Amino acid sequence: RASGMPRARSGSPPAADDVAAREAFIAWLEAEGVDTSALRLHDFPWGRGVAAARDIRPGERVLSVPRRLIVTAETARSSPVGERLLRGWPEAPAEALLCAYLAAERRAGERSPWYPWFRLLPRTYDLPVTYSE
């Protein structure tokens, strides 16, 4: 088990594969230099998130993520899929670039540098735009 961020605690324990995915994600963050000691993954009634793992002092930095671990429109734009998209659609909006990039990276599975993060994303979700009534 990775040090730092403890596993989530909720009404029911996460499934074994979810625990493994959480631990792999934390290990990945820590290997990339992210200090996870102030936070823990948590399943809230409304979805997965992070919660304080300990008391936080006013003004204390609880998370600092290196820029290389932030998916941005520039990340997508400079990727092979972004470059292909822009050749056919030079004015593609940032949202389209991000969608195409994330879809390609998710499809790459374990070959993607984002794989530890993708494993934690929900498989299904509800959005008002998908409601039938």
Side-chain angles (χ1 to χ4, degrees):
R1 198 177 116 97
S3 61
M5 196 180 292
R7 261 187 266 152
R9 290 171 179 77
S10 63
S12 59
D17 60 334
D18 194 41
V19 170
R22 290 169 189 240
E23 290 175 353
F25 178 67
I26 299 309
W28 175 69
L29 287 175
E30 291 175 349
E32 293 292 338
V34 178
D35 177 5
T36 63
S37 63
L39 302 172
R40 63 183 170 85
L41 295 175
H42 186 79
D43 288 319
F44 295 96
W46 55 87
R48 182 173 292 152
V50 294
R54 58 176 171 73
D55 290 340
I56 306 295
R57 294 181 313 276
E60 177 183 0
R61 179 180 296 171
V62 296
L63 184 65
S64 180
V65 178
R67 185 172 298 278
R68 71 182 180 283
L69 296 184
I70 300 172
V71 178
T72 65
E74 188 50 43
T75 307
R77 187 176 287 108
S78 62
S79 72
V81 71
E83 290 172 356
R84 282 193 306 271
L85 180 63
L86 288 168
R87 276 196 298 274
W89 188 13
E91 67 283 351
E95 294 84 357
L97 288 162
L98 285 166
C99 286
Y101 175 73
L102 291 172
E105 288 296 317
R106 185 147 191 178
R107 185 162 191 232
E110 292 182 38
R111 295 184 321 269
S112 172
W114 306 108
Y115 181 69
W117 173 54
F118 286 137
R119 286 181 65 194
L120 289 184
L121 295 178
R123 304 268 188 272
T124 61
Y125 50 89
D126 291 324
L127 293 175
V129 72
T130 65
Y131 295 166
S132 61
E133 295 179 12

